[in-house]
Amino acid sequence: MDSPNIEKAISLLSSILDCPADSISENDTIETVEKWDSLNHMRLILKIEEEYKAEVDPDTALGLFTVKDIAAYISTL
Amino acid sequence: MKWKYGTPLLLGTENYVLQSVNPAAIPDEFVTWFSDPEVMRFMNDPMGMDKSKLASYFSTYNNKTRIAMTIYDRKIKSPIGIFKIYIEAPHNHCHTSVLIGDKSYWGTGAVLEIRERVISFLFKGMKLNKICGYVRGRNFPALFNYTKQKFTKEGVRKQHMRNHEGGLDDVVEFALLREEWLKRQEENSNEETARG
């Protein structure tokens, strides 16, 4: 996994969750980050769609529940 | 719990109370929710019903195979949403749907807390074998919640349901089997025991 994509995923999450980037690690998931709730998850996906001019389909959305998932998806855009 | 099939159902969680909708006493909030495009965006119900139409609509819920419950905040005793259960008795399964009309409860974990109680009732009380959930593809909060609650994605039906704007939405089918849920309960119990 490219480090820039991990950094970008963490940056996206920290801006949505309104928390410092260094409080999120590449191993974090929806189970480990308390503020990563259903509403923030929607905001995260809409942010990705806006930044990358992409439309996230349901199958993709169901694979975006970890920092690494997000980084991997970003790397395909 | 004591509940007689066909009579109003009452379920409780730490923060919420669920009570069968009484068609003769539709809360004013229902009219507001059913007219709000943001609230209704991913729901299948018709929009814009007045109290009389809502009363007629909810009178079709018989507390047997179709159960609709108002969700109340336990502390402030105000309605915040509606939980619906549709039981297919011959197949021993059901599907459920939840509407959180009060937007201040979005993202609070209310759905997770409420659905966990309903799951327990359906598997332990009703002895059902399977609970299904049908989620529109752009309903990212619901996709999140079903995943967090360990439902399995069984498939995606493409362009399956008409939305309120006239387009067709993909629908993701989720399911949870009784045996999966019981196994998870046992694992959670073992973890708690190990933690002392």
Side-chain angles (χ1 to χ4, degrees), chain B residues 15-85:
Chain B
N15 296 301
Y16 305 98
V17 174
L18 291 81
Q19 188 167 29
S20 287
V21 174
N22 176 1
I26 297 291
D28 292 337
E29 287 86 347
F30 281 24
V31 179
T32 306
W33 300 340
F34 277 76
S35 301
D36 185 332
E38 198 177 16
V39 171
M40 297 302 290
R41 182 171 174 204
F42 300 116
M43 306 308 295
N44 298 332
D45 316 81
M47 279 188 67
M49 289 188 278
D50 60 20
K51 216 174 232 191
S52 156
K53 284 183 179 160
L54 283 165
S56 172
Y57 178 71
F58 281 103
S59 69
T60 65
Y61 288 80
N62 56 13
N63 288 310
K64 292 178 180 172
T65 53
R66 294 164 58 86
I67 301 170
M69 291 178 285
T70 307
I71 305 164
Y72 294 91
D73 181 306
R74 187 181 281 280
K75 280 187 192 145
I76 61 174
K77 298 180 173 47
S78 291
I80 67 150
I82 302 165
F83 201 105
K84 296 193 286 190
I85 304 167

Side-chain angles (χ1 to χ4, degrees), chain B residues 93-111:
Chain B
H93 72 222
C94 70
H95 79 264
T96 68
S97 99
V98 60
L99 174 156
I100 301 296
D102 186 329
K103 296 174 198 174
S104 67
Y105 289 81
W106 290 5
T108 63
V111 168

